[in-house]
Amino acid sequence: MRAQSDVFTDQVYALPMARWVAAEWHRFVTDPNRAPNDLRALGVVPTLGFDGRELYTERHRPSLAAIRQRVADYHEPYQRSVAKAVEGASVFIDGHSMAATGPASSLDSEQRRPEACVGNCGDGQGQPLPDDIITCAPEDLRWAGERLGHHLTAFIGGHRPVDVGINRPFRGGYGVRRHAAPGSGRAGIQLELNQGLWWNEEDGLDVDALDRVRGALNAWVEDLSTHCWKQ
């Protein structure tokens, strides 16, 4: 269960320069990055783990009423807190973490993932896909990805440049679409950080590594705060 959580992610993103809201429950209680009416097995109240195994016995599977109650108790209060925090902001970062290797339920199952991924719901260049939105301008997304790669390389990369995916392996989910929709007046980027940067199942948390990731993010947020975002 711990390996399928956003392990220590709240500590990674608790940055002094940013307004910050964190979910205080496991995503298997209700997933804040799914639409409230998403009733799939990996939807707003998942019934499958990322490893493809059932989370509940048949008699304990949440009913539709139980799902709606969880959305009311957890999902919507969190979304309202985020909406309040981003009022007047020019950019919204929807911060997440991802397993170092794609789990069984993912399209990139068993594949090594990049150190980070920035997404605007578009393609590999940040351009819109047919019949879908983008939450920030493609050039802004690519710039943000380049600056994130620069800072992660400086703080943790050593002699190897850090790989930052553009809408790879994640394009952007419910959070960035809700809080940075076109016309909202703010740019939105979904950020996924590889949990392997600060944690693994065998050794647990690497506190020094977590501090280095936070240093890179602090420098990145400073860049974002001075950037002229296109609307």
Side-chain angles (χ1 to χ4, degrees):
M1 292 294 288
R2 192 172 181 84
Q4 298 189 73
S5 71
D6 291 291
V7 60
F8 298 106
T9 305
D10 55 342
Q11 296 183 37
V12 173
Y13 284 112
L15 303 174
M17 291 183 61
R19 305 176 200 172
W20 173 71
V21 176
E24 298 180 353
W25 60 88
H26 196 291
R27 64 170 78 181
F28 289 164
V29 176
T30 180
D31 191 333
N33 207 27
R34 298 288 187 269
N37 60 350
D38 185 347
L39 301 179
R40 297 173 299 167
L42 288 169
V44 67
V45 174
T47 56
L48 289 179
F50 298 121
D51 57 5
R53 291 190 293 179
E54 294 281 348
L55 295 176
Y56 301 92
T57 60
E58 187 62 35
R59 64 189 294 262
H60 291 101
R61 187 185 297 272
S63 65
L64 180 58
I67 291 172
R68 288 174 173 164
Q69 191 63 54
R70 288 198 204 179
V71 169
D73 290 344
Y74 297 95
H75 191 280
E76 280 307 306
Y78 168 77
Q79 302 297 345
R80 289 195 296 270
S81 295
V82 174
K84 183 176 180 180
V86 301
E87 287 179 358
S90 60
V91 60
F92 166 57
I93 304 300
D94 192 16
H96 299 265
S97 67
M98 58 184 172
T101 302
S105 63
S106 297
L107 295 175
D108 63 343
S109 176
E110 298 186 1
Q111 296 180 32
R112 176 189 171 276
R113 285 174 165 171
E115 281 84 1
C117 163
V118 292
N120 70 342
C121 306
D123 66 12
Q125 293 297 314
Q127 298 291 341
L129 293 172
D131 301 318
D132 204 353
I133 66 168
I134 54 173
T135 56
C136 79
E139 56 269 36
D140 286 343
L141 182 73
R142 295 193 298 269
W143 174 85
E146 186 277 326
R147 296 310 299 163
L148 179 61
H150 168 81
H151 292 303
L152 286 173
T153 298
F155 278 83
I156 68 171
H159 301 294
R160 179 180 65 84
V162 166
D163 181 15
V164 177
I166 302 294
N167 289 311
R168 170 184 64 88
F170 297 104
R171 295 174 49 232
Y174 177 78
V176 74
R177 291 169 182 268
R178 173 164 172 167
H179 299 292
S184 65
R186 71 183 60 91
I189 295 174
Q190 179 171 301
L191 171 60
E192 297 275 355
L193 292 173
N194 191 309
Q195 294 174 359
L197 294 174
W198 61 83
W199 178 85
N200 63 65
E201 287 189 74
E202 293 74 27
D203 303 320
L205 174 65
D206 184 331
V207 175
D208 290 339
L210 185 144
D211 286 342
R212 290 193 294 272
V213 174
R214 284 173 48 83
L217 288 181
N218 277 322
W220 186 59
V221 168
E222 187 170 358
D223 282 353
L224 300 183
S225 70
T226 61
H227 183 68
C228 183
W229 295 91
K230 296 178 177 62
Q231 300 296 330

